[in-house]
Amino acid sequence: MAEEREAISMASSLPPPPQVPMELHAENRSKLIRSLREHLTSSSRPLKGFGGEEKTRYCTDHVELFRQESYFAYLFGVKEPGFYGAIDISNGKSILFAPRLPADYAVWLGEIKQLSYFKEMYMVNMVCYTDEIVEVLRTHHGGSEKPLLFLLYGLNTDSNNFSKPAELKEMEKFETDLSTLHPILTECRIIKSDLELSLIQYANDISSEAHVEVMRKTRAGMKEYQLESIFLHHIYMYGGCRHCSYTCICATGENSSILHYGHAAAPNDRTLKDGDMALLDMGAEYNFYGSDITCSFPVNGKFTSDQRLIYYAVLKAHDAVISAMKPGVSWLDMHKLAERTILESLKIGGIIIGDVDDMMVERIGAVFMPHGLGHFLGIDTHDPGGYTKEMERPKEPGLRSLRTIRELQEGMVITVEPGCYFIDALLVPAMENPNTSKFFCHKEIARFKSFGGVRIESDVHVTSNGAENLTKCPRETWEIEAVMAGASWPLLDKSSIH
Amino acid sequence: MAEEREAISMASSLPPPPQVPMELHAENRSKLIRSLREHLTSSSRPLKGFGGEEKTRYCTDHVELFRQESYFAYLFGVKEPGFYGAIDISNGKSILFAPRLPADYAVWLGEIKQLSYFKEMYMVNMVCYTDEIVEVLRTHHGGSEKPLLFLLYGLNTDSNNFSKPAELKEMEKFETDLSTLHPILTECRIIKSDLELSLIQYANDISSEAHVEVMRKTRAGMKEYQLESIFLHHIYMYGGCRHCSYTCICATGENSSILHYGHAAAPNDRTLKDGDMALLDMGAEYNFYGSDITCSFPVNGKFTSDQRLIYYAVLKAHDAVISAMKPGVSWLDMHKLAERTILESLKIGGIIIGDVDDMMVERIGAVFMPHGLGHFLGIDTHDPGGYTKEMERPKEPGLRSLRTIRELQEGMVITVEPGCYFIDALLVPAMENPNTSKFFCHKEIARFKSFGGVRIESDVHVTSNGAENLTKCPRETWEIEAVMAGASWPLLDKSSIH
Ligand SMILES: [Mn+2]
Ligand SMILES: [Mn+2]
């Protein structure tokens, strides 16, 4: 019967998932070495990063699927758990330390690979076992004094967690420096190389396509999680992406005003209704590099005039920001540009009243968009480096949610994700507050009580003289309506639909 | 254009995911109270469990999708993180402690639910905030002495980890007992109630159907992870299962002899070849309760004679064990029955030579099946309780891998998962060993060098006088071939195919 089986059709126009060149991570190491050398005066200093370990769930033997720690992934690209890594700043040589696996690993978990396999695979100068770290680092050092190790320790300004420095058994045999490495390595990660960009582009391509696939299949009566399932299937089946950059947010109706919907206590389990807006924030990760994309569209495939009003308020902000982006521009200014653009549209739509400058002073923009305009994107969805030690986080509503306030630089990848939401917890107090009540057209706003919200999020690469949008989803309402009615994407003949 | 959109067809014959009655968890609590009362003499002792917390990945703000700790899920069914729970043994009353959420939770994460919501949802007698635990437990106690708390602390015999007892700020205000609760609660979990069984049956139904879907779509040239993606999509899209019981093992060709293939260092990334066997070990979880199912089949849809030989060796063992299972039967004996059945088939197939009793003494069965025959299944894939403190783990190859050696009891759910693998790391030493070399037909075995292995795994419920297989996958080779050629499942007309 085997001969009767038909080939299955591939529902993707993209080429198969790319091979990832390990030069990418070698380049990352070189960049770090250059940065450190600029910063330091003396020579011959090995430095150490460390990789993550597999974890079991609570007390059980349930092993969560391992995903490498991001700084370690940046430098070494190692997929396997339990590794350590070191780079000698004086000569640029890199060493990986692999766990020594027990003999029965071969029975339960697979081939025990030779050290030479890892040396070739990850393009490092030397691979030893983790139980040899102290000896190797001391021998390698050569000198008579204690070798100086730069360990990774520092604040993640998104989580307010500190990275955990590597722990060695005989730490007293080394001098350690916990402050130098983190800010320099973080700074390296902010500017993406061409090889990094191509992975972020790939993650964007497969995710954009998956978003289109979800739009096409969305119907009233479905569950939100079914949209998540379609997305996950598309990026894995056709894109080889086993991980997402973050838990999918599949918010419809009122839920679309819950900014981080989709977690275990709000698990994408609502039934879609005719007339709902859907706000889907989902992004694939490929070889550690991620994407972060939000599409908003009407569940039934056709925008109402109210939906169109809010949608275009956000889309105009999205487009205005991308048009204004270039090196030297302040991200704080971009956030304010988005706010102002949204407020102007809402004013034209009769939802708010009064002078937009006055609204800006009173932070009315933050009532409708309480989150920041965007964040760095890379190996982490919220890639680090948004604030250096010297930068102070703004205190005003909206602005204080910004994950960075830096000036844009060529090579940054940052999300542009304006949104406009009707959130009772913010709207009600603002409409009751005597200072701000006057700006709101209470009657109009009542109509949006269960509207939820709209967010449009693209991943944008800052170029030498502007910005390039890496995300390729339908954005105009007529594009969305055409795709949801079955048109191919990109649209073949715009004139016939427009 | 909206009116032109067609309904999408649902590729599942199952009813929609069931509503889960919270009586299930209330019953679990009652059972624990009864067990504890039988065990204890004095009265009025509150006891405490505790729930899990959300975790971020390393130092980032990447939040892993939360899954409740299993003992806590058993007693309370709480989906949300950060909860604590207590049960008063004297009066049977249960209390949940909910985290006090900050006001901006409503903006970022969703509606802040009233305590009454949780009281109704989880059918407990009282809900307070976690910051009130000490006060509530002391007040509730009434007496003048320090209240006695039974905390959950004990060994998981699969992971060798200890469960972490709940931590309270003012622990000195209580007497604590760390030894009583764990074995009694573990014993409760071993025998499944009808409501628990119906969830395990549901997880089995959707997973069985998904396995069939994967069989139908498997083709040479695909990647192993595409089979994983088809499975994951089916259980989520049509079954509402966001979690799997464990990371999918999608092993083809030689990889099918790697027992726990599919993890990050061996990530289901091989390309399927014509002539390969596939061994797919995948199971959905629904409302905490899991399934654990393995199907083995030829990638091209048609068994070769060698594949049929090994497959039937395993299927005969699988069927023989299920036929023999009933209360009072020793699981160790079932393991040996499976070994013996496999060895007899291999002997008939000319792969091994000699007296099967002698082979049993020399533990030749463990060369082909190094893992245990099966394990309890429930809220954990490897549900706890396999060994009590009094039981000693066998030391012989194969037997020492058994996750339990208990006698079967009515209400247990245990996996039956015999396998037969050609694992160089075990076969080569056994064939070189002068004591065991004689049993192997070296020439025949050479043919199986890259064969990999076969495993057939079903989830089986021990009934009052026998056993019921909850898993409904095609098992006979002709059933598999028919389904892979496009026949519906269950087969409509067996006579025409057989
Ligand atoms: Mn984002
Ligand atoms: Mn199993």
Side-chain angles (χ1 to χ4, degrees), chain B residues 281 292 375 382 415 417 457:
Chain B
D281 188 344
D292 184 358
H375 50 83
H382 299 151
T415 66
E417 49 176 311
E457 177 176 25

Side-chain angles (χ1 to χ4, degrees), chain A residues 217-430:
Chain A
K217 291 193 170 159
T218 298
R219 300 287 184 282
M222 290 172 78
K223 291 282 190 180
E224 291 167 338
Y225 64 71
Q226 293 184 304
L227 310 184
E228 178 180 4
S229 186
I230 294 167
F231 182 86
L232 296 175
H233 183 48
H234 196 88
I235 62 167
Y236 200 11
M237 185 79 185
Y238 306 111
C241 297
R242 196 178 203 185
H243 292 278
C244 274
S245 304
Y246 50 93
T247 301
C248 292
I249 299 172
C250 298
T252 62
E254 263 186 290
N255 293 337
S256 56
S257 67
I258 301 169
L259 305 178
H260 291 168
Y261 184 74
H263 54 97
N268 295 335
D269 60 354
R270 180 178 174 276
T271 303
L272 278 61
K273 287 197 301 218
D274 194 10
D276 284 343
M277 278 299 283
L279 182 162
L280 308 185
D281 189 344
M282 314 188 283
E285 174 180 307
Y286 189 76
N287 190 68
F288 307 121
Y289 286 85
S291 59
D292 184 358
I293 298 175
T294 309
C295 293
S296 297
F297 57 90
V299 158
N300 65 15
K302 193 83 191 161
F303 284 85
T304 65
S305 59
D306 276 350
Q307 288 169 344
R308 195 179 305 267
L309 166 64
I310 305 305
Y311 187 85
Y312 268 113
V314 178
L315 185 61
K316 273 192 182 170
H318 170 270
D319 292 350
V321 166
I322 296 177
S323 297
M325 283 171 69
K326 61 180 179 184
V329 161
S330 142
W331 194 242
L332 192 60
D333 289 345
M334 291 297 96
H335 181 93
K336 288 177 179 165
L337 171 61
E339 276 189 345
R340 181 179 288 278
T341 310
I342 291 168
L343 291 172
E344 279 164 358
S345 293
L346 295 182
K347 184 178 168 182
I348 293 169
I351 291 170
I352 50 177
I353 314 150
D355 184 77
V356 171
D357 287 328
D358 293 346
M359 292 181 201
M360 290 296 288
V361 171
E362 295 288 350
R363 309 290 325 118
I364 302 302
V367 175
F368 294 101
M369 180 172 88
H371 61 69
L373 175 63
H375 50 83
F376 295 137
L377 171 75
I379 297 187
D380 288 315
T381 310
H382 299 150
D383 227 27
Y387 291 88
T388 62
K389 267 190 183 154
E390 293 72 36
M391 291 179 194
E392 208 177 328
R393 200 177 265 270
K395 297 200 172 45
E396 301 94 324
L399 307 182
R400 68 178 169 230
S401 299
L402 276 163
R403 295 181 185 277
T404 185
I405 52 166
R406 293 173 76 126
E407 277 189 7
L408 296 180
Q409 291 173 252
E410 183 180 352
M412 285 177 169
V413 174
I414 193 161
T415 66
V416 175
E417 49 177 310
C420 179
Y421 316 88
F422 293 84
I423 304 171
D424 282 344
L426 300 175
L427 263 176
V428 172

Side-chain angles (χ1 to χ4, degrees), chain B residues 452-465:
Chain B
V454 165
R455 178 162 66 249
I456 300 173
E457 177 176 25
S458 295
D459 303 340
V460 179
H461 165 220
V462 182
T463 59
S464 61
N465 58 357

Side-chain angles (χ1 to χ4, degrees), chain A residues 452-463:
Chain A
V454 165
R455 178 162 65 250
I456 301 173
E457 177 176 27
S458 296
D459 303 340
V460 179
H461 166 220
V462 181
T463 59

Side-chain angles (χ1 to χ4, degrees), chain B residues 277 303-317 341-352 420 422 444-445 447-448 451 454 456 477:
Chain B
M277 278 297 284
F303 284 86
T304 65
S305 60
D306 275 350
Q307 287 169 344
R308 195 180 304 266
L309 165 64
I310 305 305
Y311 187 84
Y312 268 114
V314 178
L315 185 61
K316 272 191 184 171
T341 310
I342 291 168
L343 291 173
E344 279 165 357
S345 293
L346 295 182
K347 183 178 167 181
I348 293 168
I351 291 170
I352 50 177
C420 178
F422 294 84
E444 294 292 313
I445 283 175
R447 214 169 65 229
F448 289 87
F451 181 90
V454 165
I456 300 173
T477 55

